Amino acid sequence: MSFAKQMPMPRGRAENLAVIFGDQLDHDAGLLKRLDPDNDVILMAEVDGEQEEGPSHKVRTAVFFAAMRHYALWLSERGFRVRYVRVDSRGNTQSLEGEIDRAIEAHKPQRLLVTHPGDWRVMETLDAIDAVDVEVLDDEHFYTTPSEFAEWADGRKSLVMEFFYREQRKKLGILMDGKQPTGGEWNYDKDNRESFKSEPGVRAPYSPEPDEITAEVISLVNSRYADAPGRLDESNWIWPVRRDKALRALRDFVEHRLADFGPFEDAMWTGEHTLFHSLLSVPLNLKLLNPRECVDAALEAFKAEKAPLNSVEGFVRQLIGWREYIRGVYWFEGADYRDRNFLGQDGDLPEFYWNGETDMKCMSECLAPVLDHAWSHHIPRLMVLSNFAMIAGVAPRAIGDWFYGMYADAVDWATTPNTIGMGSYADGIPGKREPVVGTKPYAASGKYISRMSNYCKHCSYDVKKRTGKDACPFNTFYWDFLIRHENRFSKNNRMAMIMKNVKRLKKDDRVEITTSAKSLREKFGVAPAKVSA
């Protein structure tokens, strides 16, 4: 039976109208406990307007639609009255605002209930509603509320994630022996930087087969959004869009990959895109999984001696530390965060980000899983894709919008601080404050990629050369980036050593680097890059 026939539109008045957005598919949401199935109505809506935020990968759109439809059926099976508006429903206004207005008109509620959204834009939409009272509930999915983070951040000169993470460990009692961290160290990054010397031979992760609803959505997305970027096909579908499948994906990771996750979490290898990573960011950001159950599963594996401390701590830090910190920064910094441009860079994003057609082996390898699955792990994101855009001089909003549209786990609270803040070193305010998320830019030459992968062995460019036609573009752009922003970076204590090397460059070398970088920007379609003040 088609999804449409399983979800008849509810009629009549409602005391409360609850709006559930596509990234709020929490089976234990506090919002649900506030509702009376007989007297209240839940609104969920698929709208074209969300595509207008920027091109959205076909897989990303299909993940959201399929997960939303499964969740709506789950709600209906539990007696809730669900007003589900499909993207192809008759009368769909194709905007969240329009569908909320239509639902208010149809059901005449006394109150609108929503869980705290993950996007400033949505929060501003809710603030503009004056037809009924709007009550925003805390999102219990997270360990920390925005107000709690603001209390921690208020008055601090810098918001260092490590300090936040240590306080989280103490507060939650996770991996603690009394007042001291288990094992004597707060983190084990020094043990988690190994690379592969030969074929890694990793077991393929669990990939659920598309069910009838998911197949229906895949067909819809391919038809309705035929010109959208990315590749979408039932044969290469990998994402869990139901809670039971998400829980199975969690078990698969803990049983088969967690033990080796830590040492090799920064490694890359040709043709191996998942390696020992969890692939759980998608169900986590849809809220089909709760971070607490992920943390508990990892801690149980450590207790049972099935995973070492460095792997478990690295995984736990992503959940109680980095993930909570990033969300806190997003709401603390304000609605203008997405448009910040600390370094004043204004270049265009190269076309190969959208189609993968480039002769740089590292870029084509790191773009392949994005185009096929709307995902890659954190090192290709940060040290290849973001790094290249930043050192080439691409505008941070351009790379931020690309990540937002091209990743299935992309929601604004997570994607914007990771790309504008960490990936682009852009979230400071010139003359007022230094960048927030990164204490230095995550800029690297081809040497880093060569050390952490085997990509350079199969590339037409020479990773040992800084300039010249066959020189690695990462090398050319890296040194040009340091030269262009020399005045600013020379004041950064964490960059003191590398900036001394920049100062030692002879004039002829500087000219050769900047000239070569300009030629590369023309080749890749990146507009001329500005020099920071």
mmCIF file of all heavy atoms in Angstrom, residues 62-81:
data_model
loop_
_atom_site.group_PDB
_atom_site.id
_atom_site.type_symbol
_atom_site.label_atom_id
_atom_site.label_comp_id
_atom_site.label_asym_id
_atom_site.label_seq_id
_atom_site.Cartn_x
_atom_site.Cartn_y
_atom_site.Cartn_z
ATOM 1 N N ALA A 62 16.093 12.351 -0.126
ATOM 2 C CA ALA A 62 15.421 11.060 0.029
ATOM 3 C C ALA A 62 15.522 10.549 1.459
ATOM 4 O O ALA A 62 14.557 9.970 1.992
ATOM 5 C CB ALA A 62 16.025 10.046 -0.938
ATOM 6 N N VAL A 63 16.661 10.743 2.114
ATOM 7 C CA VAL A 63 16.823 10.321 3.503
ATOM 8 C C VAL A 63 15.801 11.028 4.394
ATOM 9 O O VAL A 63 15.115 10.389 5.209
ATOM 10 C CB VAL A 63 18.257 10.599 3.999
ATOM 11 C CG1 VAL A 63 18.332 10.559 5.520
ATOM 12 C CG2 VAL A 63 19.230 9.578 3.414
ATOM 13 N N PHE A 64 15.682 12.324 4.235
ATOM 14 C CA PHE A 64 14.742 13.072 5.072
ATOM 15 C C PHE A 64 13.298 12.652 4.803
ATOM 16 O O PHE A 64 12.533 12.390 5.742
ATOM 17 C CB PHE A 64 14.919 14.576 4.855
ATOM 18 C CG PHE A 64 15.967 15.205 5.719
ATOM 19 C CD1 PHE A 64 17.295 15.247 5.318
ATOM 20 C CD2 PHE A 64 15.638 15.742 6.945
ATOM 21 C CE1 PHE A 64 18.276 15.805 6.124
ATOM 22 C CE2 PHE A 64 16.603 16.316 7.763
ATOM 23 C CZ PHE A 64 17.928 16.344 7.350
ATOM 24 N N PHE A 65 12.919 12.582 3.538
ATOM 25 C CA PHE A 65 11.532 12.228 3.216
ATOM 26 C C PHE A 65 11.193 10.814 3.694
ATOM 27 O O PHE A 65 10.125 10.583 4.267
ATOM 28 C CB PHE A 65 11.288 12.344 1.706
ATOM 29 C CG PHE A 65 11.147 13.750 1.190
ATOM 30 C CD1 PHE A 65 11.332 14.845 2.015
ATOM 31 C CD2 PHE A 65 10.835 13.990 -0.147
ATOM 32 C CE1 PHE A 65 11.210 16.145 1.538
ATOM 33 C CE2 PHE A 65 10.696 15.280 -0.635
ATOM 34 C CZ PHE A 65 10.893 16.360 0.202
ATOM 35 N N ALA A 66 12.085 9.862 3.428
ATOM 36 C CA ALA A 66 11.813 8.479 3.820
ATOM 37 C C ALA A 66 11.730 8.337 5.335
ATOM 38 O O ALA A 66 10.839 7.654 5.866
ATOM 39 C CB ALA A 66 12.887 7.551 3.258
ATOM 40 N N ALA A 67 12.655 8.966 6.042
ATOM 41 C CA ALA A 67 12.645 8.886 7.501
ATOM 42 C C ALA A 67 11.401 9.559 8.078
ATOM 43 O O ALA A 67 10.793 9.047 9.032
ATOM 44 C CB ALA A 67 13.916 9.520 8.064
ATOM 45 N N MET A 68 11.018 10.693 7.519
ATOM 46 C CA MET A 68 9.817 11.389 7.992
ATOM 47 C C MET A 68 8.568 10.530 7.785
ATOM 48 O O MET A 68 7.697 10.456 8.660
ATOM 49 C CB MET A 68 9.685 12.725 7.263
ATOM 50 C CG MET A 68 10.695 13.781 7.678
ATOM 51 S SD MET A 68 10.682 15.222 6.583
ATOM 52 C CE MET A 68 9.035 15.900 6.911
ATOM 53 N N ARG A 69 8.482 9.878 6.654
ATOM 54 C CA ARG A 69 7.295 9.060 6.366
ATOM 55 C C ARG A 69 7.211 7.852 7.302
ATOM 56 O O ARG A 69 6.134 7.521 7.798
ATOM 57 C CB ARG A 69 7.301 8.631 4.899
ATOM 58 C CG ARG A 69 7.112 9.807 3.945
ATOM 59 C CD ARG A 69 6.989 9.380 2.494
ATOM 60 N NE ARG A 69 6.845 10.544 1.622
ATOM 61 C CZ ARG A 69 6.426 10.505 0.370
ATOM 62 N NH1 ARG A 69 6.118 9.337 -0.186
ATOM 63 N NH2 ARG A 69 6.317 11.611 -0.346
ATOM 64 N N HIS A 70 8.331 7.230 7.546
ATOM 65 C CA HIS A 70 8.329 6.107 8.497
ATOM 66 C C HIS A 70 7.937 6.577 9.893
ATOM 67 O O HIS A 70 7.188 5.887 10.603
ATOM 68 C CB HIS A 70 9.706 5.448 8.530
ATOM 69 C CG HIS A 70 9.950 4.503 7.393
ATOM 70 N ND1 HIS A 70 9.266 3.317 7.253
ATOM 71 C CD2 HIS A 70 10.805 4.565 6.346
ATOM 72 C CE1 HIS A 70 9.696 2.680 6.171
ATOM 73 N NE2 HIS A 70 10.624 3.416 5.595
ATOM 74 N N TYR A 71 8.438 7.722 10.285
ATOM 75 C CA TYR A 71 8.126 8.249 11.618
ATOM 76 C C TYR A 71 6.644 8.606 11.724
ATOM 77 O O TYR A 71 5.996 8.352 12.760
ATOM 78 C CB TYR A 71 8.992 9.471 11.883
ATOM 79 C CG TYR A 71 8.889 10.033 13.291
ATOM 80 C CD1 TYR A 71 9.448 9.354 14.364
ATOM 81 C CD2 TYR A 71 8.261 11.250 13.526
ATOM 82 C CE1 TYR A 71 9.379 9.871 15.654
ATOM 83 C CE2 TYR A 71 8.189 11.776 14.804
ATOM 84 C CZ TYR A 71 8.746 11.089 15.866
ATOM 85 O OH TYR A 71 8.670 11.611 17.140
ATOM 86 N N ALA A 72 6.102 9.189 10.672
ATOM 87 C CA ALA A 72 4.682 9.542 10.669
ATOM 88 C C ALA A 72 3.813 8.291 10.826
ATOM 89 O O ALA A 72 2.812 8.297 11.562
ATOM 90 C CB ALA A 72 4.327 10.280 9.382
ATOM 91 N N LEU A 73 4.177 7.214 10.136
ATOM 92 C CA LEU A 73 3.440 5.955 10.282
ATOM 93 C C LEU A 73 3.563 5.412 11.700
ATOM 94 O O LEU A 73 2.596 4.891 12.269
ATOM 95 C CB LEU A 73 3.951 4.933 9.276
ATOM 96 C CG LEU A 73 3.534 5.153 7.819
ATOM 97 C CD1 LEU A 73 4.243 4.164 6.906
ATOM 98 C CD2 LEU A 73 2.018 5.025 7.662
ATOM 99 N N TRP A 74 4.747 5.519 12.272
ATOM 100 C CA TRP A 74 4.950 5.077 13.659
ATOM 101 C C TRP A 74 4.052 5.858 14.614
ATOM 102 O O TRP A 74 3.443 5.281 15.522
ATOM 103 C CB TRP A 74 6.422 5.246 14.022
ATOM 104 C CG TRP A 74 6.760 4.849 15.427
ATOM 105 C CD1 TRP A 74 7.037 3.597 15.885
ATOM 106 C CD2 TRP A 74 6.863 5.729 16.562
ATOM 107 N NE1 TRP A 74 7.305 3.626 17.241
ATOM 108 C CE2 TRP A 74 7.201 4.924 17.679
ATOM 109 C CE3 TRP A 74 6.689 7.096 16.740
ATOM 110 C CZ2 TRP A 74 7.377 5.454 18.953
ATOM 111 C CZ3 TRP A 74 6.865 7.631 18.013
ATOM 112 C CH2 TRP A 74 7.204 6.816 19.103
ATOM 113 N N LEU A 75 3.950 7.172 14.413
ATOM 114 C CA LEU A 75 3.065 7.996 15.238
ATOM 115 C C LEU A 75 1.609 7.576 15.062
ATOM 116 O O LEU A 75 0.856 7.455 16.034
ATOM 117 C CB LEU A 75 3.222 9.469 14.856
ATOM 118 C CG LEU A 75 4.544 10.160 15.218
ATOM 119 C CD1 LEU A 75 4.604 11.544 14.568
ATOM 120 C CD2 LEU A 75 4.716 10.276 16.726
ATOM 121 N N SER A 76 1.221 7.365 13.815
ATOM 122 C CA SER A 76 -0.162 6.992 13.524
ATOM 123 C C SER A 76 -0.525 5.653 14.167
ATOM 124 O O SER A 76 -1.629 5.480 14.702
ATOM 125 C CB SER A 76 -0.373 6.930 12.009
ATOM 126 O OG SER A 76 -1.696 6.589 11.688
ATOM 127 N N GLU A 77 0.410 4.719 14.132
ATOM 128 C CA GLU A 77 0.169 3.408 14.745
ATOM 129 C C GLU A 77 -0.031 3.513 16.248
ATOM 130 O O GLU A 77 -0.648 2.634 16.857
ATOM 131 C CB GLU A 77 1.349 2.480 14.434
ATOM 132 C CG GLU A 77 1.406 2.048 12.970
ATOM 133 C CD GLU A 77 2.737 1.394 12.622
ATOM 134 O OE1 GLU A 77 3.620 1.314 13.532
ATOM 135 O OE2 GLU A 77 2.913 0.986 11.462
ATOM 136 N N ARG A 78 0.461 4.585 16.849
ATOM 137 C CA ARG A 78 0.306 4.789 18.282
ATOM 138 C C ARG A 78 -0.852 5.718 18.617
ATOM 139 O O ARG A 78 -0.969 6.199 19.748
ATOM 140 C CB ARG A 78 1.625 5.307 18.869
ATOM 141 C CG ARG A 78 2.584 4.163 19.123
ATOM 142 C CD ARG A 78 4.022 4.493 18.883
ATOM 143 N NE ARG A 78 4.802 3.255 18.950
ATOM 144 C CZ ARG A 78 4.897 2.380 17.944
ATOM 145 N NH1 ARG A 78 4.282 2.600 16.804
ATOM 146 N NH2 ARG A 78 5.603 1.273 18.084
ATOM 147 N N GLY A 79 -1.688 5.945 17.633
ATOM 148 C CA GLY A 79 -2.929 6.657 17.878
ATOM 149 C C GLY A 79 -2.890 8.149 17.690
ATOM 150 O O GLY A 79 -3.914 8.824 17.888
ATOM 151 N N PHE A 80 -1.752 8.713 17.312
ATOM 152 C CA PHE A 80 -1.668 10.155 17.114
ATOM 153 C C PHE A 80 -2.342 10.554 15.799
ATOM 154 O O PHE A 80 -2.308 9.808 14.817
ATOM 155 C CB PHE A 80 -0.208 10.617 17.089
ATOM 156 C CG PHE A 80 0.475 10.562 18.434
ATOM 157 C CD1 PHE A 80 1.349 9.528 18.737
ATOM 158 C CD2 PHE A 80 0.239 11.538 19.385
ATOM 159 C CE1 PHE A 80 1.987 9.463 19.966
ATOM 160 C CE2 PHE A 80 0.875 11.488 20.626
ATOM 161 C CZ PHE A 80 1.739 10.447 20.919
ATOM 162 N N ARG A 81 -2.952 11.715 15.801
ATOM 163 C CA ARG A 81 -3.554 12.277 14.584
ATOM 164 C C ARG A 81 -2.465 13.070 13.864
ATOM 165 O O ARG A 81 -2.026 14.108 14.344
ATOM 166 C CB ARG A 81 -4.736 13.178 14.935
ATOM 167 C CG ARG A 81 -5.861 12.470 15.681
ATOM 168 C CD ARG A 81 -6.795 13.476 16.330
ATOM 169 N NE ARG A 81 -7.508 14.270 15.333
ATOM 170 C CZ ARG A 81 -8.055 15.461 15.597
ATOM 171 N NH1 ARG A 81 -7.931 16.013 16.806
ATOM 172 N NH2 ARG A 81 -8.707 16.106 14.647
#
